[in-house]
Amino acid sequence: MHRDRPTIGIVYPDHAAEDDYPLAAELLGVNLPVAHIYGTDLHAVPELLDLGSPAKLAGGAAQFADEPLDALVWACTSGSFVYGPEGARTQVEQLSRDAGGVPTTSTSIAFVAALRALGVGRVAVSASYPRDVAELFVAFLADADVEVVSLADAGIDTAAEVGTLTDEAVLEFVRTNDHPDAQAVLVPDTAMHTLRIMRELGKETGKPVLTANQVTVWHGLELAGYTVECPELGSLFEEDTDHGAR
């Protein structure tokens, strides 16, 4: 039997938009404690590989040693997809072992699960990363048979800078980089504040917008066996979402 308030542990890199998680916790009535791990904060492949390394993630899991978890999420899209699909799966398997066997995922894997739940196969990607890093996300999606019909990259070098983007800047970036053939727009950076503007993002595009912090929370709850309706957090949290059926 689950506790009334499920606890989903969030392993989060450095500091940028982690205040999205207390906001989600309040809206959903769940516990989303955050454990920080630290790297050089660069959106560059060598640094991202280091950030998502087994030793760094084990340090994140260790911070939850005294806290019963229902699930655990490595809340870094680039620090998971940079390992490739197989590497990302290995990453979360090891993290689960480090955390005592609790169900575990990462933001990259959560994006794929969310697309399957919504029945979406064609997307536009609106990424804050430099181009070479953004293209690795496209390759990760392609492995899951997701077609990226357009890719936009903002070329921002650090997560800290992404975290300073205003709501209007995020809305404009997503609005500008939607594509008529896309069934959804993906915004793949947990350093970007998005949860307070999910309704606006959906209105701007007229289609589901999936953001990194949104799918992180959603998939963590899914793995723990919880479905919570909260339209303020976008299409994934609406009543008619086919949660995990596909």
Side-chain angles (χ1 to χ4, degrees):
M1 180 178 296
H2 294 299
R3 296 184 295 278
D4 289 339
R5 290 177 63 91
T7 298
I8 312 300
I10 306 293
V11 177
Y12 190 89
D14 297 291
H15 295 278
E18 64 268 33
D19 49 332
D20 265 8
Y21 294 104
L23 172 62
E26 182 178 355
L27 287 171
L28 295 167
V30 302
N31 299 318
L32 299 171
V34 177
H36 291 274
I37 62 174
Y38 296 94
T40 61
D41 194 35
L42 283 176
H43 287 146
V45 172
E47 285 77 9
L48 293 169
L49 288 169
D50 177 69
L51 188 62
S53 66
K56 288 278 178 71
L57 293 183
Q63 296 177 55
F64 293 114
D66 297 324
E67 186 157 13
L69 297 177
D70 295 289
L72 180 64
V73 190
W74 167 220
C76 182
T77 324
S78 55
S80 47
F81 69 65
V82 74
Y83 278 85
E86 186 58 37
R89 288 188 287 269
T90 300
Q91 190 182 55
V92 299
E93 288 166 2
Q94 179 60 55
L95 183 57
S96 177
R97 289 192 290 271
D98 293 336
V102 300
T104 303
T105 188
S106 67
T107 307
S108 292
I109 292 171
F111 266 111
V112 173
L115 291 169
R116 288 175 177 161
L118 293 172
V120 168
R122 295 188 315 280
V123 302
V125 172
S126 190
S128 54
Y129 317 123
R131 188 73 176 189
D132 62 328
V133 175
E135 287 174 344
L136 293 177
F137 184 52
V138 174
F140 188 92
L141 294 171
D143 182 77
D145 296 323
V146 176
E147 179 186 359
V148 175
V149 297
S150 68
L151 170 63
D153 60 276
I156 300 175
D157 288 328
T158 68
E161 183 179 349
V162 174
T164 67
L165 295 174
T166 65
D167 291 351
E168 183 49 48
V170 173
L171 285 164
E172 176 64 20
F173 185 53
V174 174
R175 177 193 309 123
T176 303
N177 295 303
D178 187 13
H179 189 281
D181 293 337
Q183 298 168 293
V185 182
L186 309 191
V187 188
D189 193 345
T190 59
M192 186 181 289
H193 289 95
T194 59
L195 295 193
R196 62 195 177 206
I197 56 170
M198 290 307 305
R199 280 189 182 274
E200 290 87 345
L201 287 168
K203 288 176 182 177
E204 288 288 346
T205 61
K207 64 186 64 171
V209 176
L210 302 184
T211 76
N213 289 331
Q214 176 208 39
V215 301
T216 294
V217 173
W218 174 83
H219 201 215
L221 289 168
E222 285 290 297
L223 289 184
Y226 292 89
T227 298
V228 184
E229 293 175 21
C230 183
E232 292 88 347
L233 292 179
S235 301
L236 275 180
F237 289 90
E238 292 177 356
E239 185 177 3
D240 57 353
T241 300
D242 189 2
H243 293 270
R246 279 178 287 274

